[in-house]
Amino acid sequence: MTFLAIGINYNTAPVAIRERLAFPADTLHTSLLDLRQVSEISEAAILSTCNRTEFYCNANTSDEKFLIDWVAETKSIDPNAFKPYLYTHADNQLIRHMFRVACGLDSMILGEPQILGQMKSAYQTACEAGTLGKDLGKLFQQTFTAAKKVRTDTAIGSSPVSVAFAAVQLAQQIFSNLGEQTALLIGAGETIELTARHLTQQGIGRLIIANRTHAKALALAEQFKGLAIALAELPSHLAEADIVISSTASQLPILGKGSVESALKKRRHKPMFMVDLAVPRDIEAEVEQLRDVYLYTVDDLQNTIDQNMDSRRRAAAQAEEIIDTQVDHFLAWLRAQSAQTVIRDYRLQAEQTRDEALQKAIGLLKNGGTPEEVLTRLAYSLTNKLIHTPSTQIRDAAANERHDVIAAAHEIFKLNKT
């Protein structure tokens, strides 16, 4: 059997192709059952995210054509429309690829942790569909082990590399307990959504989302259990905010020095932490002059992010070394599986020899033989039968100068050289 995978990702295919090959979560179970019906496949799993779709199989061929044909038929798309964007991995190459994907080494953002959870979901869905067997199931388990070791032994995911995460981490450094703070987010785009998600994950006490389009603010606020307000309402809510993070497409500042100064008076000069992620800036530069404001711009955070990316790249080099070791571990397990048939056959042969010798010994006892005589003959007969075939093979190996067989015999039988 051959481990085989085909896939596309953010590097190889535009979003127009990626979305056509995507498998929604609610159809994945049925698709897996259908894929498992392909005659060449014994095991299968599908990983489908916004940035990649990959099909993992244990197959009786290394030719990916059958897999491409299945995808084309399932998605009702001409194979030539997506084949130029495909990559293929088999056996050792696939093992390494899965390990690198799970560790975030193949991600758009180096070291991002979400992909590991997505791979675990793919594994769980395949388990529930019954499309995983011993080998591919073990490969997934080893993949998770490799990812855990990389996360534990390197700094691949310890440093923020998005401005949203960097802003939240900076807020955590300033406020010891985010659960007691109120955050005001200005905007409703991707950066603000990501910021809201990070703040929620860190247990922010209260969330206010302001946007020019109230409906967008409301949709985001409902998602994160916050309060939605219009931009016009900012002056009446600004004093409530311990944390202000802004990212809009406005060409003019949204918060001026005067409005922030008024909010500080209402707060009795309780400090405010402000991050302006917009270009052009949403918060007037003069706000930084106010004593009780800690104002950071996207450039301030970018320096940190650049340093953290360097840190992640160094960690990625360490991760590759760990992956090398984990690949070796899995290959050793695979090789051990190939020996199971030999071990089983050898055991069956030995048990058959034992049973035959035992029946003869029981017969001798029934015919009046003394226990001592019967045991002695049993031991002698059993020893001769067990060593006869190996002895013959070793003599033949010596006659044919098969020194490798003789060396293997020393190792297998743990013989002391004389």
Side-chain angles (χ1 to χ4, degrees):
M1 299 300 288
T2 297
F3 285 127
L4 181 67
I6 63 170
I8 58 171
N9 65 21
Y10 68 96
N11 252 333
T12 68
V15 67
I17 296 295
R18 297 203 306 274
E19 63 188 8
R20 294 188 70 183
L21 295 192
F23 282 75
D26 57 353
T27 68
L28 203 51
H29 187 281
T30 303
S31 297
L32 280 166
L33 293 176
D34 186 49
L35 178 57
R36 179 62 183 81
Q37 295 305 309
V38 176
S39 60
E40 290 88 348
I41 293 176
S42 61
E43 301 178 77
I46 300 173
L47 172 66
S48 187
T49 75
C50 59
N51 281 331
R52 72 177 66 241
T53 296
E54 295 182 344
F55 307 87
Y56 309 124
C57 299
N58 197 4
N60 61 16
T61 176
S62 59
D63 185 353
E64 68 274 15
K65 183 179 182 302
F66 75 90
L67 203 46
I68 294 173
D69 290 344
W70 178 84
V71 173
E73 183 179 352
T74 302
K75 288 296 181 180
S76 301
I77 179 173
D78 183 345
N80 294 320
F82 65 88
K83 277 174 66 175
Y85 306 102
L86 284 177
Y87 47 82
T88 303
H89 298 301
D91 291 332
N92 295 16
Q93 191 181 25
L94 170 57
I95 297 166
R96 177 176 297 279
H97 174 73
M98 285 182 66
F99 288 3
R100 295 187 79 255
V101 168
C103 294
L105 298 181
D106 195 52
S107 296
M108 184 180 293
I109 299 176
L110 181 64
E112 58 93 5
Q114 287 83 7
I115 186 62
L116 177 57
Q118 291 164 336
M119 287 199 78
K120 287 183 176 180
S121 295
Y123 167 76
Q124 187 61 38
T125 303
C127 284
E128 292 170 358
T131 60
L132 286 185
K134 179 180 177 183
D135 292 344
L136 192 55
K138 178 68 175 180
L139 176 53
F140 268 100
Q141 291 296 330
Q142 193 71 39
T143 297
F144 303 147
T145 298
K148 181 180 179 181
K149 189 160 185 63
V150 166
R151 294 278 165 192
T152 302
D153 294 359
T154 76
I156 190 71
S158 62
S159 305
V161 290
S162 73
V163 289
F165 191 73
V168 173
Q169 188 178 69
L170 192 55
Q172 286 179 288
Q173 293 172 9
I174 292 174
F175 300 101
S176 58
N177 183 7
L178 289 185
E180 299 175 354
Q181 313 304 320
T182 294
L184 169 62
L185 306 184
I186 305 174
E190 183 179 342
T191 299
I192 289 298
E193 181 179 352
L194 192 56
T195 303
R197 179 170 286 107
H198 289 317
L199 283 169
T200 302
Q201 290 171 347
Q202 299 306 318
I204 190 69
R206 183 168 173 245
L207 205 58
I208 303 172
I209 298 174
N211 191 56
R212 194 176 307 279
T213 305
H214 187 264
K216 289 185 178 180
L218 187 61
L220 205 55
E222 288 177 348
Q223 184 179 350
F224 297 104
K225 299 178 180 178
L227 170 68
I229 64 173
L231 284 185
E233 299 177 78
L234 270 178
S236 59
H237 288 276
L238 187 57
E240 303 169 33
D242 305 294
I243 300 166
V244 178
I245 301 176
S246 186
S247 178
T248 76
S250 175
Q251 296 302 302
L252 297 172
I254 290 172
L255 288 178
K257 183 180 178 182
S259 61
V260 176
E261 200 165 19
S262 297
L264 286 170
K265 287 179 181 179
K266 292 179 183 178
R267 290 171 60 83
R268 297 183 179 179
H269 293 278
K270 182 182 176 183
M272 295 177 72
F273 167 68
M274 308 183 80
V275 183
D276 189 349
L277 301 178
V279 179
R281 286 184 280 188
D282 285 338
I283 303 173
E284 284 184 348
E286 289 76 13
V287 170
E288 190 174 16
Q289 298 169 7
L290 298 173
R291 284 184 55 188
D292 300 305
V293 171
Y294 300 91
L295 175 61
Y296 294 83
T297 68
V298 68
D299 287 347
D300 297 324
L301 296 183
Q302 194 60 51
N303 292 332
T304 300
I305 290 167
D306 290 343
Q307 292 172 6
N308 290 343
M309 276 304 300
D310 288 340
S311 173
R312 286 200 178 192
R313 290 187 188 101
R314 290 192 295 272
Q318 293 177 284
E320 296 285 6
E321 294 176 4
I322 293 173
I323 287 173
D324 286 342
T325 302
Q326 293 298 314
V327 169
D328 289 342
H329 287 171
F330 184 72
L331 290 176
W333 179 85
L334 276 181
R335 288 191 293 269
Q337 302 316 296
S338 67
Q340 291 302 314
T341 302
V342 176
I343 293 170
R344 184 179 65 248
D345 291 346
Y346 181 59
R347 178 177 289 278
L348 287 172
Q349 187 183 72
E351 288 174 349
Q352 183 179 356
T353 300
R354 175 203 64 197
D355 292 343
E356 290 173 356
L358 183 60
Q359 289 303 314
K360 286 184 179 180
I362 292 171
L364 289 173
L365 284 173
K366 288 179 178 179
N367 289 329
T370 66
E372 185 178 354
E373 289 174 344
V374 172
L375 285 174
T376 301
R377 178 169 292 191
L378 173 63
Y380 181 80
S381 172
L382 193 55
T383 301
N384 278 345
K385 287 185 176 181
L386 288 175
I387 69 172
H388 173 73
T389 299
S391 298
T392 301
Q393 294 299 109
I394 291 170
R395 276 194 293 269
D396 288 346
N400 292 300
E401 296 186 348
R402 290 290 308 278
H403 302 297
D404 58 325
V405 174
I406 296 172
H410 271 286
E411 185 173 349
I412 290 171
F413 297 117
K414 298 293 182 184
L415 302 177
N416 295 321
K417 294 184 178 181
T418 57

